[in-house]
Amino acid sequence: MEVNLQNAVDHGLNKDEFNKICDLLKRTPNLTELGIFSAMWNEHCSYKSSKIHLKKLNTKGKKVIQGPGENAGIIDIEDDDAIVFKIESHNHPSFIEPYQGAATGVGGIMRDVFTMGARPIANLNSIHFGSTQNPKTKNLLRGVVKGIGGYGNCMGIPTIAGQTNFDESYNGNILVNAMTLGLVNKNKIFYSKAVGVNKPVIYVGSKTGRDGIHGASMASAIFDDKIEEKKPTVQVGDPFTEKLLLEACLELMAGKSIISIQDMGAAGLTSSSIEMASKGNLGIELNLNKVPCREEKMTPYEIMLSESQERMLIILENGKEEEAKKIFDKWNLDFAVIGKTTDTKKIELFFDEIRVAQIPINILAENAPIYDRKFKKTKLPQKIKFNKDDLKKFKLTDVLKKILSSPNISSKEWIWEQYDQTVMGDTVEKPGSDSGIVRIHGSTKAVATSVDSSAIYCYAHPLTGGKQVVCENWRNLISCGSKPIAITNCLNFGNPEKEENMGEFVECVEGINEASKFLDYPVVSGNVSFYNETKDKGIKPTPTIGGVGLVTDYKKIITMDLKNINNLILVVGKTEGHIEQSIFARNILNEKKGPPPEINLFNEKNNGETILKLINEKLIKSTHDVSLGGIITAVSKMAIKGKKGFKLIKPKVLTSKFHYYFGEDQGRYIIEIEPNNLPKVQKILKENSVHYDEIGIVTKNEVIVDKEPILHIDDLTKSNKTWLIDYMSK
């Protein structure tokens, strides 16, 4: 078939890109070659709209072993231990086919981690759905949760943390971001860089089928009315095969056979082979007749672009083929020598003894298009003046119950109860806390981890929102007593060809970078998901941050549940009463305008480090960061988890009680301390110039706020825990 411009457009390439391909090749590509270009030059694989901005991110740190550019980032957690971690999106597939889309997203991120020699020890997820009034939301939520749980549970990897949000901007594009942590000996890390000429290229895992063809290209496209036609582009996962693949790969890695290894993820055999060769400045030759296929008469085009799951590409030392084959035979997995490395610096494909493709590697990788797209910055919105008389008609406790039962604040137990949280026996803190915590088996160490996003703040002012989401993640790790080390990011945005959307991306990245640098919280891996848009309507900018921190002794972690009656409750950090863009403003006052809360990075760092000092001095009984819903929501969640009540009295400050209790000022923590420790706590806070308010005490089961009617903790618990159960049961 003779390839023309229309073929290129159908593959997601524009006129200029097609002409560039013809110029670089000095000829017109054939269909297989066009498919390869389409895969490697799409947004999902090439990062052509984001690369120049991602290069500005802070990626270095004392604990960083591997930053961006590999399958996953790696950090040092002392001794000989390292943590491998990354977050990835599987948004488009999950909207089209929620169960398989979410399941294969989990499978893919786990392969990225164990490809580097690490055994996965924990999964997390960040999932965003449309309005609860949208008729599709309930089924999408049910399918995604089943997919995440189905794959992770079968693999035997605990899901220890996550977040779920609802917003109408996700009606046409849900977000499914999956994150995995793995443990590896830092002297036994594997990389994807090919080394050496005439080294055997090995295909292992499942057979190749026609599922997932054009999956990467679909992830770089806008949805329209023909979305149902894209179902064949969604990959089909088999967690039981992936479990076998994990064990077989780790067994082979225990020897000295592997030179490099790469997961066949987005763009399948195409991206894995080209990326390995590109990193090693080598060529690669593949005989596609030797690729194990589960369907008859597959063409070179289909073989190269298939995104069938549970597959790896390995480059071995010469003479190690039989040794490797025995391992994969033992685990009942396909094993085939399908090619070799070369010194040609080209990818050469053969099928039926005919060369069906020949492309210089640098054209596909280093010389892929890079766009410096135009963008518009977002002005900081003006502050809103709220009418005091409008606030007087509300009862604080009624508002509190309404907020606790709102979709984005309510308990997500219905979700996480479907995940295996304790398999492997090392989970220290399960979902529902500031951070999930898993111990390092055989030691006192543990790692804390959390995922966070804040689309509302980012939409209001992307620069501030970018800073906030990093700080929120930092506080979640601080709250349990861990030392934050590094982050991964999944940057979910609309069409980058629109100046407004591109501006949101650029400013969010700038905000993430500012906070990352100031907090010494480097970015070590990540993913960009553009074109989250349906019928010209895009999502709110949603950068998701996944963080990892070190706990030196897991027996000394601090949890958020209130502990003992008559203990004191303090707010650490200054409260100004910022309610613009808050849950209170949006859900109670129906006000969606105004700026997000200001981010003071000095205070964030200083307050967080001071909290760690208090924890290390054993002066804190429980703690929880203040985020959505403000002070009273944070205290309520602590009370619900601890099955205790509380009595709060607003300090004599200028702001109203609604501003004080529901304001979402940043950099704050709620701490519970014993009364006799108050002088010691005050001393440390004053020495570090940290503002604090004494606001109440822990009670047996009464909830008392200023002069409001007395509630029972059961009232708050019911408000918080029943909404999602009721919603999903209707």
Side-chain angles (χ1 to χ4, degrees):
M1 165 183 175
E2 187 173 336
V3 168
N4 56 36
L5 175 59
Q6 186 56 52
N7 299 135
V9 172
D10 292 341
H11 279 73
L13 298 163
N14 60 40
K15 181 180 178 180
D16 290 339
E17 289 170 343
F18 180 63
N19 289 335
K20 183 177 180 180
I21 290 168
C22 296
D23 289 343
L24 289 168
L25 289 177
K26 295 181 172 57
R27 59 180 173 83
T28 303
N30 62 38
L31 185 61
T32 300
E33 292 171 329
L34 181 67
I36 290 170
F37 273 105
S38 160
M40 294 303 297
W41 282 19
N42 69 55
E43 195 73 58
H44 193 73
C45 292
S46 73
Y47 290 66
K48 57 190 177 185
S49 298
S50 59
K51 189 173 286 186
I52 62 172
H53 302 287
L54 296 177
K55 286 181 177 179
K56 301 172 185 176
L57 287 172
N58 170 43
T59 61
K60 300 186 184 301
K62 292 179 181 178
K63 296 287 187 179
V64 177
I65 296 174
Q66 175 65 53
E70 266 293 341
N71 287 298
I74 310 177
I75 56 173
D76 187 342
I77 60 165
E78 301 176 1
D79 306 312
D80 288 327
D81 298 321
I83 292 293
V84 180
F85 69 107
K86 188 183 181 183
I87 190 169
E88 279 262 6
S89 64
H90 228 222
N91 303 335
H92 288 60
S94 298
F95 185 71
I96 297 168
E97 214 300 300
Y99 182 92
Q100 289 294 350
T104 52
V106 173
I109 194 62
M110 281 196 281
R111 288 195 301 279
D112 280 342
V113 167
F114 73 74
T115 296
M116 304 197 72
R119 180 174 290 280
I121 59 172
N123 288 333
L124 302 85
N125 56 79
S126 175
I127 51 181
H128 295 68
F129 299 91
S131 164
T132 56
Q133 306 304 312
N134 184 344
K136 290 185 177 181
T137 294
K138 194 178 297 183
N139 286 334
L140 287 168
L141 174 60
R142 184 175 284 111
V144 166
V145 171
K146 283 185 177 179
I148 292 171
Y151 208 102
N153 296 354
C154 291
M155 282 289 294
I157 310 299
T159 299
I160 65 170
Q163 67 164 172
T164 305
N165 283 308
F166 300 90
D167 185 271
E168 64 182 9
S169 75
Y170 308 112
N171 282 351
N173 287 86
I174 65 171
L175 302 183
V176 176
N177 296 172
M179 178 175 167
T180 293
L181 277 65
L183 178 66
V184 68
N185 184 301
K186 53 191 175 191
N187 300 312
K188 297 179 180 179
I189 297 168
F190 287 82
Y191 297 95
S192 60
K193 178 181 177 181
V195 179
V197 175
N198 289 321
K199 302 295 183 180
V201 178
I202 312 299
Y203 173 116
V204 299
S206 293
K207 287 180 169 63
T208 294
R210 290 186 170 94
D211 57 310
I213 293 174
H214 293 305
S217 299
M218 180 268 293
S220 303
I222 296 170
F223 287 157
D224 53 30
D225 291 325
K226 298 180 179 178
I227 186 173
E228 292 296 317
E229 296 177 8
K230 299 183 184 289
K231 279 194 175 183
T233 65
V234 179
Q235 310 89 336
V236 178
D238 180 358
F240 299 105
T241 298
E242 176 136 331
K243 175 64 175 174
L244 300 177
L245 184 61
L246 163 67
E247 299 301 339
C249 286
L250 292 180
E251 185 174 339
L252 184 61
M253 289 169 169
K256 296 182 178 180
S257 303
I258 297 178
I259 295 174
S260 62
I261 181 169
Q262 178 77 29
D263 164 44
M264 290 192 222
L269 186 53
T270 291
S271 63
S272 56
S273 58
I274 291 167
E275 287 173 10
M276 293 172 86
S278 174
K279 289 174 182 177
N281 198 28
L282 294 171
I284 193 163
E285 180 182 301
L286 302 178
N287 182 345
L288 300 185
N289 292 101
K290 294 184 177 182
V291 174
C293 294
R294 66 170 181 262
E295 299 184 49
E296 295 182 356
K297 298 181 179 180
M298 288 191 70
T299 65
Y301 177 95
E302 292 171 326
I303 292 169
M304 290 302 295
L305 295 182
S306 167
E307 293 186 12
S308 295
Q309 298 290 283
E310 296 83 40
R311 304 179 299 160
M312 293 282 191
L313 202 63
I314 300 173
I315 296 174
L316 288 180
E317 294 285 2
N318 292 108
K320 297 292 185 178
E321 295 93 327
E322 282 303 313
E323 179 185 328
K325 186 176 185 304
K326 285 180 182 177
I327 292 173
F328 285 90
D329 284 348
K330 182 181 84 172
W331 291 99
N332 198 29
L333 294 165
D334 278 286
F335 177 98
V337 181
I338 66 169
K340 63 181 181 180
T341 59
T342 69
D343 60 2
T344 65
K345 299 183 182 180
K346 298 176 181 179
I347 182 169
E348 297 177 272
L349 306 179
F350 292 84
F351 189 73
D352 292 345
E353 299 183 352
I354 298 171
R355 186 163 61 194
V356 294
Q358 183 181 30
I359 309 172
I361 294 287
N362 67 340
I363 292 178
L364 293 164
E366 295 90 341
N367 290 334
I370 301 288
Y371 295 124
D372 186 2
R373 298 194 184 277
K374 293 181 179 179
F375 61 88
K376 288 183 180 178
K377 290 192 173 184
T378 302
K379 292 182 180 179
L380 185 68
Q382 291 185 338
K383 290 195 171 201
I384 304 291
K385 288 186 178 181
F386 294 92
N387 192 323
K388 293 181 180 179
D389 292 333
D390 289 343
L391 298 178
K392 290 178 180 178
K393 63 185 180 184
F394 297 113
K395 285 186 178 180
L396 193 147
T397 48
D398 290 343
V399 171
L400 175 60
K401 287 194 289 183
K402 187 173 180 179
I403 284 177
L404 287 173
S405 63
S406 62
N408 289 333
I409 297 292
S410 64
S411 169
K412 305 303 185 298
E413 280 186 59
W414 181 89
I415 294 173
W416 70 64
E417 283 180 349
Q418 298 182 55
Y419 307 147
D420 195 329
Q421 309 154 30
T422 58
V423 63
M424 299 178 74
D426 287 319
T427 303
V428 179
E429 193 65 18
K430 296 187 286 187
S433 300
D434 287 309
S435 301
I437 303 175
V438 60
R439 67 173 179 167
I440 304 303
H441 198 78
S443 77
T444 63
K445 293 186 298 188
V447 288
T449 183
S450 177
V451 288
D452 298 278
S453 66
S454 185
I456 297 298
Y457 293 167
C458 289
Y459 184 64
H461 192 239
L463 178 64
T464 302
K467 288 190 279 189
Q468 188 277 335
V469 70
V470 175
C471 293
E472 167 71 8
N473 187 265
W474 159 275
R475 291 196 298 272
N476 281 333
L477 298 186
I478 291 282
S479 294
C480 68
S482 75
K483 172 64 178 172
I485 298 177
I487 59 178
T488 182
N489 61 51
C490 193
L491 307 176
N492 308 277
F493 291 80
N495 183 356
E497 297 164 44
K498 296 180 178 179
E499 293 183 16
E500 294 81 2
N501 292 349
M502 195 65 209
E504 290 171 343
F505 175 81
V506 171
E507 290 195 277
C508 275
V509 169
E510 185 180 340
I512 290 169
N513 188 46
E514 281 186 35
S516 168
K517 281 184 176 178
F518 199 94
L519 299 176
D520 191 20
Y521 203 27
V523 180
V524 298
S525 59
N527 167 243
V528 177
S529 176
F530 277 134
Y531 296 100
N532 292 287
E533 196 158 308
T534 297
K535 297 180 183 178
D536 207 39
K537 190 171 183 178
I539 64 167
K540 287 185 173 72
T542 312
T544 301
I545 299 294
V548 178
L550 178 63
V551 178
T552 54
D553 186 349
Y554 70 86
K555 294 179 181 178
K556 297 179 181 178
I557 65 166
I558 300 296
T559 57
M560 64 182 283
D561 50 300
L562 294 179
K563 301 299 190 299
N564 296 311
I565 297 168
N566 293 323
N567 277 352
L568 303 181
I569 300 172
L570 278 64
V571 180
V572 176
K574 182 74 172 176
T575 298
E576 301 285 355
H578 186 104
I579 61 171
E580 292 101 323
Q581 299 299 335
S582 69
I583 289 284
F584 175 78
R586 300 175 71 83
N587 289 27
I588 306 300
L589 304 178
N590 199 30
E591 177 59 74
K592 298 180 180 180
K593 296 180 180 178
E598 182 183 350
I599 304 297
N600 184 313
L601 292 173
F602 176 84
N603 286 345
E604 286 283 0
K605 189 174 186 180
N606 189 44
N607 294 358
E609 290 177 344
T610 304
I611 291 291
L612 281 183
K613 288 179 183 177
L614 293 171
I615 291 172
N616 291 333
E617 293 290 331
K618 300 179 181 179
L619 296 172
I620 291 180
K621 302 303 292 184
S622 69
T623 186
H624 182 39
D625 78 303
V626 181
S627 55
L628 294 180
I631 289 170
I632 196 167
T633 303
V635 176
S636 296
K637 287 190 172 185
M638 296 170 76
I640 292 167
K641 198 167 180 66
K643 299 179 179 178
K644 298 286 191 299
F646 56 84
K647 180 180 180 181
L648 299 184
I649 299 176
K650 186 179 75 69
K652 292 181 180 179
V653 293
L654 295 176
T655 186
S656 76
K657 64 181 179 181
F658 289 99
H659 285 75
Y660 186 83
Y661 285 128
F662 293 106
E664 295 179 7
D665 308 274
Q666 301 293 289
R668 298 179 298 161
Y669 303 79
I670 305 295
I671 63 172
E672 173 195 0
I673 66 171
E674 294 177 346
N676 62 320
N677 283 329
L678 180 60
K680 295 178 183 176
V681 171
Q682 290 175 321
K683 184 173 183 292
I684 291 173
L685 291 170
K686 288 177 181 178
E687 285 175 349
N688 290 276
S689 301
V690 175
H691 181 91
Y692 69 94
D693 295 328
E694 295 179 50
I695 63 166
I697 61 170
V698 180
T699 66
K700 184 178 180 180
N701 49 37
E702 312 88 357
V703 175
I704 306 168
V705 185
D706 293 337
K707 298 178 181 179
E708 293 275 329
I710 298 174
L711 297 175
H712 194 279
I713 186 60
D714 290 349
D715 296 322
L716 296 190
T717 302
K718 183 180 179 182
S719 297
N720 187 240
K721 291 196 173 187
T722 58
W723 176 81
L724 186 55
I725 297 169
D726 292 343
Y727 175 70
M728 296 306 296
S729 64
K730 293 177 182 176

